[in-house]
């Protein structure tokens, strides 16, 4: 519910302000699409299976569920990687060079991200890698246990881990460390904090928001990755079902965090959320409707 409501607010804000969106904001929209896509395509089936105390639908639904999870998961990871790279380029480039990152460029990048994610998602369907049930029995994912039992499973898991997890994660960390160093050097050159340009303060704020988005995603998926690798090198029976279930649920919660981060850091997003009405036509009662003092122009710039 939080994922659908929060990311729907992000998409509604983007549609309403489509003519004012800056090119990096398209990646924010793409991340919201991936999050809400995961919630709509996967969570109802998982919830129904939990109430049933067993997986529903047999092998076909298991493959579908695992494919959707892999597709949207890789898409989210690569989108965060692209966001980090673009923030690094914008921070370390002159204003004229940063303006070269156009909407068309970002749209091409988003198309590549989806094609890359789709390619990895369908590879187990065409014979490289496998999909299978989770140890706790009410979810499906990559068949981690095949790592040792077949070269097919070993090569797929190793390659996927390097190209879809390690390389993007290292890129994200390297970009934000580079940005932090650049900002640190820039602030050292300015002795009086009152003389720090608004643009520099804005860049710091945008970078912090992007870092929190990445940290929330990586933190949510780290326990699941740890449990998955445990199942690679040990029997899944060595862990209690609840021990494998909780990391999976925590990973799924990653789709709900981003709207709260936007709401905290973006005056624009807060202003638009206050204007959103429930489907029955009532304004959300706990939001103030007084926004006459704000005239925001960008979700990222606030």
């Amino acid at each position: 519910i939080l994922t659908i409501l929060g990311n729907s607010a992000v998409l509604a804000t983007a549609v309403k302000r489509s003519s004012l969106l800056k090119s990096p904001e398209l990646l924010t929209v793409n991340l919201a699409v991936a999050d809400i896509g995961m919630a709509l395509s996967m969570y109802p089936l998982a919830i129904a299976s939990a109430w049933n105390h067993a997986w529903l639908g047999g092998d076909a639904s298991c493959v579908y569920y695992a494919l959707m999870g892999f597709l949207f998961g890789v898409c989210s990871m690569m989108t965060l990687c692209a966001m980090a790279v673009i923030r690094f380029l914008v921070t370390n480039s002159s204003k004229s060079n940063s303006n070269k990152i156009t909407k068309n460029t970002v749209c091409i990048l988003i198309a590549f991200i989806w094609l890359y994610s789709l390619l990895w998602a369908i590879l187990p369907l065409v014979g490289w890698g496998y999909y299978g049930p989770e140890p706790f029995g009410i979810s499906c994912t990559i068949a981690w246990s095949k790592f040792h039992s077949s070269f097919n499973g070993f090569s797929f898991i190793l390659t996927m881990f390097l190209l879809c997890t390690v390389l993007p994660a290292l890129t994200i960390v390297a970009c934000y460390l580079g940005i932090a160093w650049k900002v640190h050097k820039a602030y050292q050159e300015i002795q009086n904090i009152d003389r720090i340009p608004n643009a520099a303060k804005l860049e710091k704020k945008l970078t912090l928001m992007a870092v929190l988005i990445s940290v929330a995603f990586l933190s949510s998926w780290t326990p699941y990755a740890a449990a998955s690798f445990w199942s690679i090198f040990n029997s899944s029976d060595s862990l209690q079902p609840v021990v494998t279930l909780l990391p999976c649920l925590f990973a799924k919660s990653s789709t709900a965090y981003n709207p709260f981060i936007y709401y905290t850091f973006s005056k624009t997003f807060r202003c638009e959320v206050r204007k959103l009405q429930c489907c029955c036509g009532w304004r959300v009662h706990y939001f103030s409707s007084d926004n006459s003092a704000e005239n925001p122009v960008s979700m990222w710039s606030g």
Side-chain angles (χ1 to χ4, degrees):
I1 291 173
L2 290 176
T3 296
I4 293 173
L5 291 180
N7 288 287
S8 294
V10 174
L11 297 180
T13 301
V15 171
K16 186 176 179 181
R17 303 179 56 260
S18 57
S19 61
L20 299 175
L21 287 179
K22 295 182 179 180
S23 50
E25 292 180 295
L26 297 177
L27 291 171
T28 303
V29 174
N30 191 56
L31 193 59
V33 170
D35 287 344
I36 202 170
M38 182 177 288
L40 292 175
S41 64
M42 299 171 59
Y43 297 175
L45 185 56
I47 293 169
S49 297
W51 282 105
N52 186 57
H53 300 281
W55 181 253
L56 294 174
D59 294 340
S61 64
C62 183
V63 170
Y64 159 80
Y65 184 94
L67 186 146
M68 291 294 104
F70 198 22
L71 171 65
F72 291 119
V74 173
C75 180
S76 296
M77 186 65 168
M78 299 310 297
T79 301
L80 292 172
C81 182
M83 290 172 63
V85 172
I86 288 180
R87 287 241 50 83
F88 178 81
L89 294 177
V90 169
T91 303
N92 289 273
S93 302
S94 62
K95 185 175 181 180
S96 59
N97 289 333
S98 63
N99 289 336
K100 293 181 180 179
I101 304 176
T102 63
K103 286 187 177 181
N104 288 337
T105 302
V106 176
C107 287
I108 293 173
L109 180 59
I110 290 173
F112 172 78
I113 289 172
W114 280 103
L115 289 175
Y116 184 82
S117 305
L118 182 62
L119 172 64
W120 279 102
I122 64 175
L123 282 176
L125 302 183
V126 297
W128 192 29
Y130 307 92
Y131 288 133
E134 300 269 18
F136 50 86
I138 56 171
S139 180
C140 293
T141 185
I142 297 168
W144 301 102
S145 60
K146 297 291 185 180
F147 185 82
H148 289 298
S149 61
S150 70
F151 178 77
N152 188 325
F154 165 80
S155 59
F156 175 77
I157 292 174
L158 182 62
T159 308
M160 178 275 300
F161 177 67
L162 293 175
L163 297 182
C164 298
T165 305
V166 174
L167 186 59
L170 290 178
T171 302
I172 291 171
V173 172
C175 285
Y176 288 132
L177 286 178
I179 293 172
W181 176 252
K182 177 74 174 181
V183 171
H184 173 70
K185 296 295 290 184
Y187 273 60
Q188 275 189 332
E189 296 173 0
I190 304 174
Q191 299 298 325
N192 188 352
I193 194 170
D194 294 331
R195 297 177 56 192
I196 296 176
N198 289 334
K201 295 178 181 178
L202 176 59
E203 285 299 324
K204 184 178 180 180
K205 182 179 180 180
L206 298 182
T207 300
L208 179 59
M209 184 179 77
V211 167
L212 287 177
I213 292 171
S214 299
V215 168
F217 182 86
L218 295 175
S219 300
S220 300
W221 282 92
T222 297
Y224 178 77
S228 298
F229 269 87
W230 177 271
S231 66
I232 286 177
F233 299 103
N234 300 274
S235 172
S236 59
D237 296 334
S238 60
L239 293 176
Q240 293 294 323
V242 68
V243 177
T244 56
L245 172 62
L246 291 178
C248 185
L249 295 178
F250 191 44
K252 287 180 170 62
S253 72
S254 66
T255 58
Y257 300 148
N258 293 341
F260 293 98
I261 297 175
Y262 302 146
Y263 190 84
T264 301
F265 284 88
S266 173
K267 291 181 180 179
T268 300
F269 187 59
R270 287 199 299 270
C271 179
E272 294 298 335
V273 167
R274 292 183 182 119
K275 295 177 181 178
L276 289 177
Q277 296 181 345
C278 298
C279 58
C280 61
W282 291 93
R283 187 175 297 277
V284 181
H285 67 277
Y286 46 83
F287 287 133
S288 170
S289 60
D290 181 14
N291 50 34
S292 58
E294 296 184 4
N295 185 25
V297 295
S298 169
M299 180 188 295
W300 275 45
S301 65

